[in-house]
Amino acid sequence: MTPEMKNLARRRLWLGITNVGFWVLTTSLGLYWLTSGHTSGFDLRRLGFIFVVMIAVQALFDFIGGILLMPEPRPTITAFLHRWSRGALVHTLVLTGVGFLSYVSFRLSGGFCFAILLATAGLALGRRQLFRAVAGVPIKETPHDGGTLLVANTTDPAFTGGIVGFGRRAKSLIPERWLANLPKEELAVESSRRQWQLENGLPDRAFILVLGWNLIGGFFGSLIFKLAERTPAEALLGHACWMTLWTFGSLLILPTLSRKAVFAADRAAADSGHDPRPWIARFPNLVGEDGSSNSTVQNIFYPIPSASLRLRQLEKPLSGFVAG
């Protein structure tokens, strides 16, 4: 990475820290207010007002990150607003849908596990459709090496695709520019990494892990803050605040598992006869990020290990269970 890219990545990191820190502090205060006994008169109308304010505050962070701190090619304000408005609308509709499911779940069962199960499964199964709705980017199927790839024509340099679907129907999704511009050997390395993940069921493992994590979080949140005894508005606010903090906890814990999956995929590519080192070295320049030399920052904010860490780990044997 060039010095300019490193400086930009550092500024984006601090924006991310500020953004995450703001919501952790805000939701902590929300839970404190909820338990203070001063919630008289709090109803669904006031909860809706908080929701609107939340969207407006997040829009400020989105603007700074999407305009001022984007790596090249940086979008114009008009282009950014066009993309952002679509993404913000879809994201708001998703949040509203999850909120409605949570409300129904609470009224029917006094808890949120039913909503968590449906929302987690729906978001996982609908990733392809959700991506198209948020970004407005069509996804096409392309034959590749005897199989089928999903290809997205997006200009976002940070977009790397992933694995869409579960079981035998799962496919790899990559940016179209990778297919057009990457050297064949490096593209073969990434294809090999993802094929190994598919063959070993890592997407399925990851889904089960995330679903279990969310259900445990929802259960303990309802128990600790006695949400079943509260009004629907209070319970929804408490659930939203608690699950935000629970998600922050996942940023501290779950990347430990995902980083091991990155190392294991690199090792699988090497074992299949490819040399993953050129691809690992190129990757930071493609996405404009390369982890952090600070181990604490790396562990919290970078689920993808730095290139230097991946190259060092490639020389070591890897053992044990890989969660995904």
Side-chain angles (χ1 to χ4, degrees), residues 274-324:
H274 300 286
D275 182 6
R277 289 172 295 183
W279 167 239
I280 294 173
R282 182 189 297 272
F283 188 76
N285 293 307
L286 288 176
V287 300
E289 299 283 355
D290 192 26
S292 173
S293 57
N294 184 305
S295 59
T296 302
V297 173
Q298 170 73 57
N299 290 338
I300 296 175
F301 293 98
Y302 289 100
I304 303 299
S306 65
S308 59
L309 185 57
R310 291 173 65 182
L311 290 171
R312 288 199 303 270
Q313 192 66 37
L314 196 60
E315 304 301 323
K316 303 176 182 178
L318 191 68
S319 59
F321 179 73
V322 179

Side-chain angles (χ1 to χ4, degrees), residues 26-35 39 42-44 47 50 102 106 112 116 217-228 230-247:
T26 300
T27 50
S28 297
L29 291 175
L31 289 173
Y32 174 77
W33 176 77
L34 192 67
T35 56
T39 58
F42 186 75
D43 54 16
L44 292 175
L47 179 64
I50 291 175
S102 300
F106 179 78
F112 297 102
I116 290 173
F219 172 77
F220 279 109
S222 296
L223 194 65
I224 293 170
F225 297 100
K226 300 178 180 179
L227 299 183
R230 299 183 179 274
T231 66
E234 293 173 1
L236 285 170
L237 177 66
H239 178 62
C241 290
W242 168 253
M243 290 305 290
T244 299
L245 293 179
W246 187 258
T247 301

Side-chain angles (χ1 to χ4, degrees), residues 57-98:
V57 172
Q58 185 57 44
L60 177 61
F61 287 107
D62 292 346
F63 181 83
I64 296 173
I67 289 288
L68 303 179
L69 300 181
M70 274 293 288
E72 298 293 347
R74 193 167 295 148
T76 64
I77 293 180
T78 303
F80 166 76
L81 289 176
H82 176 72
R83 297 177 191 171
W84 177 85
S85 59
R86 177 181 183 132
L89 174 62
V90 175
H91 192 196
T92 300
L93 291 175
V94 170
L95 290 176
T96 302
V98 173

Side-chain angles (χ1 to χ4, degrees), residues 17-30:
I17 291 174
T18 303
N19 195 183
V20 171
F22 173 82
W23 289 117
V24 167
L25 178 61
T26 300
T27 50
S28 297
L29 291 175

